[in-house]
Amino acid sequence: VQLQASGGGMVHTGGSLRLSCAASGPKIVTLTIGWFRQGPGGGRELVAYTSRDDFTRDGLTNTYSDSAKGRFTISRDNAKNMVYLQMNNLKPEDTGVYYCAASGLTRASTRLNYGSWGQGTLVTVSS
């Protein structure tokens, strides 16, 4: 699967952005899609991921990093092969390049679990 992230930009503290991840090729319905952030001089950190889960009402499980909980919402539209990351109440420490990535694992909580990566989109949050 090929992925392309978009929607980044520059906002002030407290602002919001919505990132989009467009997938081409195989349908993403059975894939786990994650969002990662790479801050200045740092590695890629998992922000959130969405997985298929046959035991939940909507068939999905969404998982967030501690810093993202309560502020970010990950969602997916399998029909459009799209995944989104709604980011609210942004903070300067959220600054970085955001990547979306795909995994065949249901529990994909580390960068090493992901095999397909898109080009990132830059998010800059000014104080």
Side-chain angles (χ1 to χ4, degrees):
V1 61
Q2 293 182 326
L3 305 170
Q4 179 64 55
S6 62
M10 181 179 294
V11 297
H12 293 294
T13 297
S16 298
L17 284 173
R18 188 193 194 207
L19 305 184
S20 298
C21 177
S24 59
K27 290 293 186 181
I28 64 169
V29 62
T30 61
L31 297 178
T32 292
I33 305 295
W35 282 101
F36 288 77
R37 181 185 68 86
Q38 186 165 11
R44 294 184 187 184
E45 301 175 340
L46 182 65
V47 174
Y49 67 92
T50 176
S51 302
R52 176 175 174 172
D53 188 340
D54 293 335
F55 297 99
T56 61
R57 180 175 298 180
D58 61 358
L60 295 172
T61 292
N62 298 330
T63 305
Y64 300 90
S65 66
D66 287 343
S67 64
K69 286 178 184 176
R71 300 188 299 127
F72 295 2
T73 302
I74 190 170
S75 61
R76 63 197 294 164
D77 186 334
N78 288 331
K80 295 182 178 179
N81 243 25
M82 296 286 295
V83 176
Y84 307 98
L85 185 68
Q86 177 67 42
M87 305 188 295
N88 298 327
N89 191 22
L90 283 162
K91 304 175 181 180
E93 51 264 43
D94 296 319
T95 294
V97 179
Y98 283 71
Y99 299 87
C100 57
S103 172
L105 303 174
T106 300
R107 299 285 186 264
S109 59
T110 73
R111 182 175 63 86
L112 296 178
N113 296 147
Y114 293 81
S116 297
W117 292 83
Q119 290 185 325
T121 185
L122 178 62
V123 172
T124 303
V125 185
S126 60
S127 58

